[in-house]
Amino acid sequence: MDADAIIVGGGLAGLVAACELIDAGKSVLIVDQEPEQHLGGQAFWSLGGIFLVDSPEQRRMGIRDSLELAKQDWAGSAGFDRNSDGWARRWADAYVEWAAGGKRDWLRERGIRFFPIVGWAERGGVTADGPGNSVPRFHITWGTGPGIIEPFVERVQDAAKAGKLRFAFRHRVDGLIVTNGVVEGVHGMTLAPDDAVRGGKTNREEVGAFELRAQTVLVSSGGIGGNHDLVRKNWPERLGKAPEFMVSGVPEHVDGRMLGIAEGHGVSVINQDRMWHYVEGVRNWDPIWPAHGIRILPGPSSMWFDASGERMPVPNFPGFDSLTALEHIGRTGQPYTWFVLTQGIIKKEFALSGSEQNPDLTGKSWRQVLGRAIGKKAMGPVEAFKEHGADFAVADTLEELVAGMNRVGEVPVPLDRLREQIEARDRNVDNPFTKDAQMAAVHAARNYRGDRLIRTAKPHRILDPANGPLIAVRLNVLTRKSLGGIETDLGSRALGQSGEPVPGLFAAGEAAGFGGGGVHGYRSLEGTFLGGCLFSGRAAGRTMAEAV
């Protein structure tokens, strides 16, 4: 045996599992097709959002949350409706209980802290028992994605120096080694060295073959978001037609290969039609990986129009219900949509997803954080997209803005119709009550202190030059997460087609649908992907340690 445990994939879930195994005195071998500089995987690029329930941060912001409310929101968002959802339901209950219980203390023990203002993602906005978060629960890690992976990266690197763990970078797994039904290792090809920057495209030049053996094998290799062919193959009819043009929110190596390999060995891979893609993607003007897109994390005030300039129907407001918006866009055949807003809105309400797009939070700079609350400009990365982004149009007048929109987009936007809709909205600004559902939602959002401070602009007229310039942003579908994956029990044991564990095989993170083959069901409440990696990776490491 080469180790007690082999971990396929050096992302967050794999790192957490490795730490649990090391703590239990087991030897570990981490196998990854990417170079060493990619250690930590997709989590590095994240905003570091963590879903917590009834936390001290929430209470300090005046938020009253509870386990019962969180479970209600999870059930309303997940919409579990399949016989195969049995383990996913159990994972969901266990995860929400952890989020309301020991999760925060467990993270703090590892040095992880949170930005004090809790964000309100996926607001839902229709019924109390429907999709979305009833209250803000999005806790941003102080240090964003790099801050989340740091304690686990340091732990495995220290273990490597002590001889307790080995890395096998540039090792692409092509299959499992199975003897008498027991998984005993992996085999594949070694790839040529590559000094590409983190997240960049790497070569696939094969320079040798390998076989590695261990008593336990963990698949923590991520999902399919970087493989648009697989995304389209699994795109469900209920979401309409997949857009012809999409951007990627994850690097190209997030290709789903290990899911196909596991399935080829009789492992149960379920819910592959459940995916989590965003509708607010913009092309990165300074890309790192192919088709690199960045998601806008919008506040509630931007007006949202389809490609031809018609306002999106209720409840499609920015930041409220990602899946419903995606379904509307797909079913109506929209190639893209538009946000129309002002400098006053973009300055307060636009955040960009990604550690590299939030230097204040990533660099732990309170001085820079203050820039979110004062001054006339948005954060530097947002202003850079305004200046350089291919999907942005900026103008002083609506006539000039529409001309810019028609240069950026392929579907003509009529000036008079757009003006008519914006003016109708602007007439509803003067009172704190209104029949416009979006404006009512803006007023409601500002009742929350956190939104009022840094996330939701004071209502104002879009066409008033004092609030300018005017801004239009073309929004593309951005691929991101697989919500389905390898079916697992609560110990992260991979299950076969019979429903019984496959001896020696485990799965965690996105490859396992963040637990059970789909802990989120159809929708995420956000802050749950990193948390799902932490929770399922922890379970996998502990169960594997017991099995050795």
Side-chain angles (χ1 to χ4, degrees):
M1 294 290 176
D2 294 284
D4 293 323
I6 290 173
I7 295 174
V8 182
L12 181 58
L15 293 177
V16 173
C19 290
E20 294 290 335
L21 285 157
I22 294 163
D23 290 344
K26 309 303 179 182
S27 59
V28 180
L29 176 58
I30 295 178
V31 181
D32 199 300
Q33 72 174 0
E34 297 307 308
E36 182 176 4
Q37 60 267 30
H38 291 229
L39 187 63
Q42 298 175 57
F44 175 89
W45 300 104
S46 74
L47 188 58
I50 294 290
F51 177 89
L52 294 174
V53 177
D54 193 25
S55 69
E57 289 80 10
Q58 286 176 296
R59 293 193 290 272
R60 283 193 286 267
M61 293 302 298
I63 301 164
R64 297 177 182 178
D65 200 4
S66 68
L67 175 60
E68 294 75 20
L69 183 59
K71 283 190 172 183
Q72 174 181 299
D73 286 349
W74 195 287
S77 297
F80 293 123
D81 60 1
R82 297 174 178 173
N83 292 334
S84 59
D85 285 332
W87 281 111
R89 290 175 185 268
R90 293 180 221 181
W91 270 94
D93 280 343
Y95 177 70
V96 178
E97 288 169 6
W98 189 52
K103 180 181 181 182
R104 181 177 181 275
D105 288 343
W106 187 80
L107 289 169
R108 285 180 65 84
E109 288 170 1
R110 286 151 182 80
I112 292 170
R113 300 292 185 268
F114 298 105
F115 184 63
I117 298 178
V118 183
W120 197 351
E122 286 298 299
R123 300 169 188 239
V126 182
T127 61
D129 58 355
N133 285 294
S134 297
V135 297
R137 298 190 176 105
F138 193 79
H139 296 66
I140 298 176
T141 301
W142 190 232
T144 68
I148 274 284
I149 68 172
E150 181 180 13
F152 305 104
V153 170
E154 289 181 353
R155 182 77 176 92
V156 298
Q157 288 178 335
D158 288 345
K161 293 175 183 176
K164 300 175 182 178
L165 177 145
R166 290 189 296 130
F167 294 107
F169 295 112
R170 302 300 285 155
H171 282 57
R172 186 191 67 208
V173 173
D174 294 330
L176 305 175
I177 298 173
V178 183
T179 304
N180 297 324
V182 179
V183 175
E184 294 185 337
V186 296
H187 66 84
M189 302 299 294
T190 54
L191 304 177
D194 200 307
D195 60 359
V197 298
R198 179 191 284 270
K201 183 174 183 177
T202 56
N203 73 72
R204 293 293 177 263
E205 179 187 350
E206 299 174 357
V207 295
F210 69 87
E211 287 190 1
L212 298 168
R213 297 178 184 270
Q215 291 176 260
T216 57
V217 174
L218 172 66
V219 176
S220 55
S221 52
I224 68 172
N227 185 337
H228 287 195
D229 290 337
L230 267 184
V231 169
R232 288 192 168 90
K233 177 182 177 181
N234 291 299
W235 194 275
E237 289 186 10
R238 65 180 179 275
L239 295 181
K241 184 180 178 182
E244 292 184 9
F245 177 78
M246 297 185 289
V247 292
S248 291
V250 294
E252 189 177 54
H253 63 256
V254 184
D255 56 13
R257 288 186 73 255
M258 282 304 302
L259 294 176
I261 289 168
E263 192 170 30
H265 283 279
V267 176
S268 176
V269 180
I270 59 175
N271 299 319
Q272 294 186 78
D273 63 315
R274 293 177 180 170
M275 298 176 280
W276 192 246
H277 305 310
Y278 293 110
V279 293
E280 312 99 339
V282 293
R283 288 169 283 183
N284 194 344
W285 65 273
D286 188 19
I288 297 172
W289 53 80
H292 189 176
I294 297 293
R295 185 205 175 192
I296 294 171
L297 302 170
S301 300
S302 298
M303 292 192 74
W304 199 353
F305 299 93
D306 66 19
S308 61
E310 289 295 318
R311 195 172 181 185
M312 294 276 281
V314 174
N316 296 307
F317 308 143
F320 276 69
D321 187 343
S322 294
L323 190 66
T324 295
L326 180 63
E327 182 177 356
H328 173 77
I329 290 167
R331 286 188 173 277
T332 57
Q334 300 295 324
Y336 52 86
T337 59
W338 291 101
F339 278 164
V340 173
L341 60 153
T342 65
Q343 181 65 27
I345 293 173
I346 201 172
K347 183 260 169 192
K348 196 158 191 177
E349 297 196 9
F350 264 37
L352 300 174
S353 181
S355 54
E356 81 285 9
Q357 302 295 334
N358 294 272
D360 55 340
L361 299 170
T362 302
K364 304 180 182 180
S365 169
W366 284 111
R367 183 184 61 80
Q368 288 183 294
V369 166
L370 288 175
R372 293 177 181 258
I374 59 176
K376 293 185 177 181
K377 289 192 173 184
M379 292 296 294
V382 175
E383 292 290 341
F385 267 88
K386 266 180 58 186
E387 182 178 355
H388 303 293
D391 293 310
F392 284 69
V394 182
D396 291 324
T397 67
L398 189 61
E399 290 81 359
E400 294 170 334
L401 187 74
V402 170
M405 294 168 72
N406 288 333
R407 286 193 297 270
V408 172
E410 296 81 38
V411 180
V413 174
L415 170 63
D416 291 345
R417 177 59 181 150
L418 193 69
R419 184 191 301 277
E420 178 184 8
Q421 294 171 91
I422 298 174
E423 287 179 342
R425 177 262 186 205
D426 280 0
R427 295 187 189 106
N428 279 264
V429 165
D430 295 336
N431 295 294
F433 41 84
T434 173
K435 72 176 183 180
D436 186 284
Q438 183 179 0
M439 289 301 299
V442 170
H443 288 300
R446 285 179 58 82
N447 286 327
Y448 167 50
R449 190 189 317 153
D451 273 1
R452 193 167 61 252
L453 285 172
I454 65 169
R455 201 70 179 101
T456 304
K458 184 178 180 180
H460 57 261
R461 292 176 180 262
I462 287 177
L463 294 182
D464 184 344
N467 300 315
L470 295 168
I471 302 160
V473 187
R474 170 179 164 157
L475 306 173
N476 310 285
V477 170
L478 178 143
T479 62
R480 183 63 68 85
K481 295 297 181 187
S482 312
L483 297 188
I486 296 171
E487 188 177 12
T488 59
D489 66 12
L490 288 177
S492 289
R493 300 175 187 86
L495 305 181
Q497 298 294 335
S498 67
E500 295 298 316
V502 177
L505 188 63
F506 301 78
E510 191 174 353
F514 302 95
V519 67
H520 296 94
Y522 290 93
R523 286 175 168 87
S524 166
L525 287 174
E526 293 293 5
T528 56
F529 298 129
L530 295 177
C533 290
L534 294 167
F535 192 52
S536 61
R538 190 179 79 147
R542 293 180 177 185
T543 308
M544 293 166 74
E546 292 173 358
V548 175

